[in-house]
Every structure is written in C-alpha cells, then in structure tokens.
Amino acid sequence: MSLHVLPVPGLPEIDADSDLAELIAKAGTFEDGDILLVTSKIVSKAEGRLLHAADREAAIDAETVRVVARRGPARIVENRNGLVMAAAGVDASNTAPGTVLLLPEDPDASARALRARLQQLTGLRLAVIVTDTFGRPWRNGLTDVAIGAAGLAVLEDHRGRTDTHGNELALTVTATADELAAAGDLVKGKATGTPVAVVRGLAGLVTTEDGDGVRPLIRAAADDMFRLGTSEALRQAVTLRRTIRSFTAEPVDPAAVRRAVAAAVTAPAPHHTTPWRFVLLESAEVRTRLLDAMLAAWQRDLAELDGWDAAKIARRTARGNVLRDAPYLVVPCLVTEGSHAYPDARRAAAEREMFTVAIGAAVENLLVTLTGEGYGSAWVSSTMFCRDTVRTVLDLPDDWDPMGAVAVGRPAEPPRERPARTADAFIAVR
C-alpha cells in the first residue's frame, strides 16, 4: 500500500458568490477513492460566514455555549456544534481588516453538500473532511483536526482485535479523520494559499453513505474527565455543592473520602496549628449505635430541659434522618491544641472563635471536594448538642469536639436549580 498526500494549488480567493465545489474540481486532478481535506475558512467564506465586526470578543460570545477555561483574554470554549476550541473558531486571519470569519454553521452538512457536488462534477467516489486548527491539552503546538466529514467513518474501532503477539485490544479507537486532517495540513500550510489537499491510497475508507459526520469524535460530557479548566472546575464545584438529603444505597468509596479529607486539612488555621480531626464512620453498626445514642440524648434533653411533648420531639428529631439514611458519615472534630491562653473572657472567646472558623474552612474544603468526586453531602449540627455522647460512643479523646456530622452518598435525585446569586447584596465597600 502506498499513501500520497497532495496539495490542490491554484484556487482563487473565495467569497459568498463562489461555487466552491466547482473551483476545487477545476483546480485538482482526482481519482476514485480520494479523500479531500478542505480548510474550514474557505467553506465559511463560500457560505457567507464573514462578519463585519470591530469587536472579535462579541463575535466569540455569540458563538459560545460554554466557557471551558479562561486565562486572561484567552478563552477555550464549546460552540453550538460541541467543538471545544480556542475563541469558538472565530478567526481574524486570512480575512480583510475589520472582519472575522465564523466556522461553518453545520460543518457536517457543509461536508455532505460539498461531497455531493464534487461527486456530481467528477463522477468519482470521494470523501470530504472539513478541517480546522486546534490546540491540544497536554501538548504544545497546533494541528488540523476534522470538524465536518462525509463519506468515511471518522473513528476506527480496534477493540476486540488482537495485536501481533495475540493480545486482545481493549481500548484502542483510532481518530482516523483527525489523522487525515493532520496529514493534509503538512502540504496545505498556513500561509501559502493552499486550502485543499488530497489523500490518495486509502480508497477502502471511502463509504457509499455520508455517514455520521464528526459527532462520534466528540466525547460525551459524562465521559469527559477534563471538561473544565482548573479555575472553572473549582468555581463549578463550589456552585454545585448543595445540601443533599436523599441518597442512593450505593456504597461510598473510602478512598474518595480520604482524598476529600486531604483537601480539608489544607484549610487555613491559627498559629500554624492543625486543629482538625475527621472520624470516618464506615461501619453500619457504628453509625446505627451512634445515631441511636444521639437520639436518646436529644429526646431526654428536649423533654427534661425544654419541656416538649412526644409529638414535638418526634418532629424535631426527624431532621436527623438524613444522617441515618446516608451510607457514610464523617464527624469533623475541633482540637484546640496550640491555642493561646488569655486571662480575660473576651480574648479567650476570640481565640476559640479563630479555631472554630478554621474547622468551618476545613469542612467546606471537604464538602466541595466530595462534590468534585460526584458525591452529595449534608453537614448537620446534631453532634454539637450531645458531644459527650458522641465522644463516649466513638471512644474519642476528651479534647476532640465534634462539630456536627457530614452525611455522604450518591444523590438519589438531581438537586433543584439554584437561583443565580450576585455578590452585591453581601458586600460593603469602604
């Protein structure tokens, strides 16, 4: 088998009045089974996707459905076709000053239309790939990839085949269309005015039907481990953190909780101390024993100290069911070892408050990290009202102060939408 990658030179400047397929057919010499690689810029120009815009940023905003990452003025975004790329593909190069080029509105439809017209003009069986230049995570440098395709399968699935040593391939799926796009870019170049190339020698890839286009190349959100940039992922984890009160029976991964605790203990603390301890209740028997003892203590206090009747006590203690229904509990504890002693009550109270703020910061880190792990949580204050009982049941040191309990598990249902909040109502500027 031999493979040839050939430029198609001599194309004129393309505009909205151009018959792009006819111009390509006249410029090149083609054979049955050729794969044409067409730069998206000339497709956009032929489709009238030229925009007179002094503000490129506004054009990017209009083409963006989701910001993936932002660093200074640079943005990686998702466009309406699901393509994740810099600046939504809005391009100010190779176009007149004061104008920008948008990507084709539907690159797959563009590829299908171009293929149909080229096959009509040439009488040959062809495939068409519309390409654009992408950067890539983990690697420097740009390469062309397929953003639209017709007449070939964009992926080749090797799973289930065996290699030369007889090993079964379990993960290998080749991005054929992207490999072809990158090969074509080697002869097209970025500044030579050669926007079309031909790959010859792979006629077996060319199909009778147009096929599914590039959609199979676009990773589903559920499978995308790198869906957001670092700061965007952090903001989303904070925004998505909700109090979850209903959990599935799916067991919680103890390693995920330990990762969350590792994040928790990076919180700020006074005097270079480490005032946090986290008791992980991984045994159902221990959870039940603790909650039964806490319930008895609450019932006694509400009856003897507050004078509540049985019905009122039952309503109040039912709030603790979120802990009983969760498959995993974490009891954060405050340890004030290293705190400063003050003779007056005012400064002693302030010292205690400093440590209390530190445990709050640690628990917030814990909750946000659990959200990033896909778990829901609810921080419930119950243990703070019966600390001696908790210390006795869990056999904790006397100087460990339980600061509530965190229920952890997979949410039984998606949380309700939270109305957007701005910071204005919570800010005072002096």
Side-chain angles (χ1 to χ4, degrees):
M1 182 180 67
S2 62
L3 178 68
H4 301 272
V5 184
L6 309 168
V8 179
L11 281 170
E13 182 66 26
I14 306 299
D15 58 34
D17 296 323
S18 300
D19 183 335
L20 181 58
E22 184 176 3
L23 293 174
I24 293 173
K26 289 179 178 178
T29 301
F30 305 106
E31 296 181 5
D32 199 73
D34 280 352
I35 301 170
L36 275 69
L37 308 160
V38 183
T39 301
S40 63
K41 285 184 178 65
I42 63 170
V43 177
S44 293
K45 289 179 178 180
E47 294 180 354
R49 297 284 284 166
L50 187 71
L51 182 68
H52 292 273
D55 186 357
R56 180 170 177 254
E57 296 303 310
I60 296 171
D61 290 341
E63 294 294 300
T64 296
V65 298
R66 179 174 66 90
V67 175
V68 174
R70 182 193 304 267
R71 184 166 295 177
R75 281 187 281 174
I76 306 298
V77 305
E78 179 184 342
N79 75 0
R80 62 177 59 87
N81 290 308
L83 301 172
V84 175
M85 58 199 311
V90 176
D91 200 340
S93 63
N94 291 306
T95 184
T99 64
V100 295
L101 272 176
L102 311 181
L103 289 180
E105 189 167 355
D106 183 344
D108 280 330
S110 301
R112 289 192 292 269
L114 193 54
R115 181 196 191 211
R117 177 77 169 131
L118 281 166
Q119 291 190 141
Q120 179 188 41
L121 291 170
T122 63
L124 300 172
R125 182 176 57 99
L126 306 171
V128 171
I129 297 176
V130 178
T131 72
D132 199 64
T133 304
F134 276 37
R136 299 159 298 159
W138 313 297
R139 298 179 73 84
N140 290 322
L142 304 173
T143 185
D144 264 22
V145 302
I147 67 168
L152 80 166
V154 296
L155 294 174
E156 183 177 4
D157 193 344
H158 299 269
R159 292 173 295 182
R161 303 178 189 175
T162 55
D163 63 18
T164 55
H165 297 281
N167 301 308
E168 183 175 333
L169 300 175
L171 298 173
T172 305
V173 180
T174 302
T176 307
D178 284 347
E179 291 183 325
L180 291 165
D185 195 45
L186 293 173
V187 300
K188 287 192 293 179
K190 298 298 181 189
T192 59
T194 307
V196 179
V198 174
V199 170
R200 183 167 296 156
L202 296 175
L205 297 180
V206 179
T207 60
T208 302
E209 303 298 324
D210 284 334
D212 296 328
V214 300
R215 181 56 53 184
L217 283 167
I218 298 174
R219 182 168 286 145
D223 299 327
D224 189 351
M225 295 175 65
F226 308 99
R227 187 164 173 78
L228 294 169
T230 304
S231 61
E232 288 74 20
L234 177 60
R235 284 196 296 273
Q236 180 160 313
V238 172
T239 301
L240 293 179
R241 191 219 58 80
R242 308 287 182 85
T243 296
I244 302 297
R245 300 186 181 279
S246 178
F247 303 97
T248 70
E250 179 184 339
V252 172
D253 178 10
V257 178
R258 283 162 173 76
R259 288 192 292 271
V261 172
V265 299
T266 65
H271 313 318
H272 304 289
T273 59
T274 54
W276 325 279
R277 304 292 185 270
F278 293 87
V279 185
L280 310 184
L281 305 189
E282 298 179 347
S283 162
E285 185 274 328
V286 171
R287 292 195 300 271
T288 299
R289 182 153 47 90
L290 173 65
L291 295 174
D292 286 348
M294 288 172 55
L295 177 61
W298 269 80
Q299 289 171 331
R300 182 188 64 245
D301 288 349
L302 292 172
E304 295 178 1
L305 301 179
D306 298 305
W308 288 14
D309 60 30
K312 190 173 182 181
I313 291 172
R315 288 194 300 272
R316 178 64 182 84
T317 55
R319 298 179 188 176
N321 287 344
V322 63
L323 298 178
R324 198 173 291 275
D325 295 341
Y328 198 107
L329 296 181
V330 178
V331 178
C333 295
L334 174 64
V335 178
T336 56
E337 181 181 274
S339 62
H340 295 174
Y342 292 99
D344 63 289
R346 176 180 58 82
R347 287 189 293 166
E351 182 76 3
R352 169 76 183 190
E353 287 171 354
M354 284 170 34
F355 279 79
T356 303
V357 168
I359 190 70
V363 171
E364 174 69 1
N365 281 6
L366 178 87
L367 301 180
V368 169
T369 306
L370 287 170
T371 300
E373 295 276 358
Y375 290 106
S377 61
W379 187 14
V380 180
S381 62
S382 302
T383 67
M384 298 173 69
F385 292 86
C386 48
R387 284 177 169 141
D388 289 339
T389 299
V390 176
R391 281 191 285 259
T392 298
V393 173
L394 299 182
D395 192 24
L396 303 180
D398 291 341
D399 62 344
W400 286 30
D401 277 351
M403 303 295 285
V406 178
V408 183
R410 298 291 186 192
E413 57 187 24
R416 287 178 291 181
E417 287 293 323
R418 173 185 286 162
R421 284 181 178 173
T422 65
D424 296 346
F426 307 95
I427 292 174
V429 179
R430 298 291 186 266

